[in-house]
Amino acid sequence: MNILLLGSGGRESALAYKISRSPLCTRLFIAPGNGGTEAYGTNIILKPTDFEAVAAVVERENIDLLVVGNEDPLVAGIRDFFATRKPDLLIVGPGADGAALEGSKDFAKEFMTEMGIPTAAYRSFTAETLAEGEQFLATLNPPYVLKADGLAAGKGVLILPTLEEAKASLREMLSGMFGGASATVVIEEFLSGIECSVFVLTDGHGGYRVLPVAKDYKRIGEGDTGPNTGGMGAVSPVVFADNEFMKKVEDRIILPTLEGLGRRGIDYRGFIFLGLISVEGEPMVIEYNVRMGDPETEAVMLRIASDLVPALVGAAKGDLADVELAHDPRAAVTVMAVSGGYPGSYPKGKLIEGLDSIDTDATVAFHAGTTRNAEGNLVTSGGRVIAFSSLGDSVEEALSRSFKAIETVDFDGKYYRRDIGSDLLRLAATIS
Ligand code: AMP
Ligand code: GLY
């Protein structure tokens, strides 16, 4: 079959890598892709939210299966667009109704509250209810969690240490700090614990598969310090997400989520990303996303032992019943090499050298922010540049492979975190 994957990040590199290995995949197109995805298929330059442009590629290349990597086209209704334009196109990704789980934090919180899914206590406010918002803040303990309701490119969550700062940020958010995305602000109770990412592929008819669990590392600095990034690395499996924890996740979160979607008449076919926090062993939902995580996907794909394409087709068709999705018992990690200055401003166009020398049996270099310059050389084009992903018999072994590869590759300003996974290794030492 012919497959079109939308997106351009490390996540899409990992999905393209995995899809391209399937005997069911005849031709793979990645739109727009990046400087590395051309190793797995054909890049097509377009904006994933330009549905007419996507439709033109679907027609021209006889696409059978559309896999939507990033959330923007889903929230903007790409599934709904094709439901009328080309009803027989198989699509992985929910319609705008299901995508609201990520597109509106207020919707997600209201959904979880109705379904009894464990999450932080919250209330939502608008400019009209600013005074009540300030009063509500005063009833909470610090730190204060403020979330823009809509999509804000991953930047819409503020955690403030004092009541004064929280009130000031609430005013700023409601007066357009994130444009329309913060016209409504969710204020919620701060939860203290350790986070992990659980990915569920669903077929909209009660069928689902849980993918390997991962933990990502969001802050730029070692020891989880400094500003948030799109993600500096990921580790799978996650030591505290054991069978007992995952049983709670299944019973208290996954099943009620699927049942709730059904009850609301939402035919959700695609990935649900549960951003979870373990509060003294009890899983609670921090957020839903309607796509895979980045950089978790760069580790998770290495741990899927089965062909992914039958699972994607099963989800898109509404029938995952006979689909096998086996997990590789080994550990996988990804370590992200980023541009100096990221997540602030950073230079682009830096020459990337040494990629040909890495041990490709040990490590896969998933490109994120790379492109070819006019001379055809590979250069940096984003903050997160390459995700170095490895399997190993242990997390330590996988990490040492990724660190070795990352040291082999160079570009001006290269930075990475050397402590990816070290918290989990410390935790594992206390458990065993
Ligand atoms: P989100 O964009 O919703 O994933 O939030 C970004 C990050 O903020 C999360 O990964 C958490 O680390 C943190 N966060 C969000 N909500 C809370 C909360 N209620 N309590 C503690 N930390 C939170
Ligand atoms: N790694 C977190 C995310 O993809 O949102």
Side-chain angles (χ1 to χ4, degrees), residues 105 145 147 157 159 188-191 195 218 286-287:
K105 294 204 186 275
V145 183
K147 301 185 172 185
V157 176
I159 299 183
E188 65 180 43
E189 162 202 16
F190 180 83
L191 299 175
E195 292 177 56
K218 289 198 170 81
I286 290 272
E287 62 166 348

Side-chain angles (χ1 to χ4, degrees), residues 1-5 19-20 22-30 40-42 44 57-67 86 88-92 309 312-313 316:
M1 61 181 5
N2 297 328
I3 303 175
L4 172 60
L5 170 65
I19 290 169
S20 70
S22 169
L24 298 173
C25 178
T26 316
R27 290 190 303 155
L28 172 64
F29 299 88
I30 309 100
Y40 314 120
T42 306
I44 297 181
V57 174
V58 166
E59 287 305 327
R60 190 177 74 228
E61 307 296 350
N62 282 314
I63 298 299
D64 305 291
L65 174 67
L66 176 67
V67 182
K86 196 170 169 31
D88 59 341
L89 179 66
L90 294 173
I91 303 178
V92 178
V309 172
L312 296 173
V313 170

Side-chain angles (χ1 to χ4, degrees), residues 11 216 218 230 273 287 289 291-296:
R11 168 184 51 218
D216 81 343
K218 289 198 170 81
F273 166 166
E287 62 166 348
N289 294 305
R291 50 169 174 84
M292 288 294 292
D294 196 349
E296 291 96 320

Side-chain angles (χ1 to χ4, degrees), residues 4-8 31-32 44-56 66-79 81-82 151:
L4 172 60
L5 170 65
L6 298 183
S8 63
I44 297 181
I45 302 302
L46 57 71
K47 262 178 64 181
T49 46
D50 181 350
F51 299 163
E52 288 295 341
V54 177
L66 176 67
V67 182
V68 185
N70 56 329
E71 64 276 17
D72 290 345
L74 295 168
V75 173
I78 194 165
R79 169 179 284 278
F81 170 87
F82 279 108
L151 292 185

